[in-house]
Amino acid sequence: MLGKVADFRIPLGPYTPAQIAVAAIGGLLLIETVAWWTWLGPLPLAVWVMAIWVVRRPKLAGRAPLPAAVGWLTLLAQPAAGRIGGRAARDRAPRRVYGGFLIEDLAPVATSVPHPQKPGTSPARRPRLTVRRPQATPLRLASPTQRLLAQAAVRQSKEVRS
């Protein structure tokens, strides 16, 4: 609000910046175009005073006109993707990612192969499990999961033997 200093008040004031802008621009416009509107009498002056009164407390979406206009201008000036750390956000250029994976069979394979029966043994005996290990497979334990699987396979083979 403008126009109030201590106990002094401008007549019919205080005024908002919007009212002062309408008064200044409207007064200048009326002075420059006096030849065009003199035949209307006091009507242009009444419209000017009414316009000053109308803009006393205007709200655009709950905001005063000047901050609202500044907000719209900054919105229009923003980059389409927004800002990150004060800089315009941009997508990175696309690039092809090459990769692959390898599945290794590190765990021993247990199969149920019965041993040939020796003469004189009882047939009620259960056949033993034979543990077959993959041949020529290098033992590379790259991850903790592979290590745990290998340890479990070793324990299982020890249990089967005993």
Side-chain angles (χ1 to χ4, degrees):
M1 295 292 194
L2 303 171
K4 185 174 181 184
V5 177
D7 290 336
F8 174 74
R9 235 174 80 178
I10 295 177
L12 303 174
Y15 299 104
T16 64
Q19 284 178 303
I20 293 173
V22 168
I25 294 170
L28 184 63
L29 188 66
L30 284 174
I31 291 171
E32 294 295 323
T33 60
V34 72
W36 295 352
W37 57 266
T38 50
W39 61 274
L40 291 172
L43 183 65
L45 294 174
V47 169
W48 177 52
V49 170
M50 183 63 76
I52 294 170
W53 179 80
V54 166
V55 297
R56 74 190 186 287
R57 294 190 191 272
K59 298 286 183 183
L60 299 174
R63 297 175 70 187
L66 189 59
V70 170
W72 280 103
L73 290 175
T74 55
L75 179 67
L76 293 174
Q78 287 289 327
R83 294 186 179 275
I84 298 174
R87 294 182 178 178
R90 290 189 172 79
D91 290 332
R92 293 189 177 178
R95 58 188 168 140
R96 190 172 296 269
V97 177
Y98 297 99
F101 58 92
L102 174 66
I103 300 174
E104 293 183 13
D105 185 19
L106 297 177
V109 180
T111 58
S112 166
V113 177
H115 287 282
Q117 296 258 334
K118 294 181 185 175
T121 59
S122 66
R125 192 171 156 197
R126 254 188 339 192
R128 291 183 72 188
L129 289 176
T130 305
V131 177
R132 223 179 22 186
R133 297 198 183 272
Q135 295 180 2
T137 303
L139 187 61
R140 283 185 271 158
L141 302 177
S143 71
T145 305
Q146 289 176 331
R147 285 188 211 115
L148 287 173
L149 288 172
Q151 289 173 0
V154 169
R155 275 192 222 122
Q156 185 181 13
S157 66
K158 286 181 183 177
E159 290 172 4
V160 170
R161 287 185 201 151
S162 55

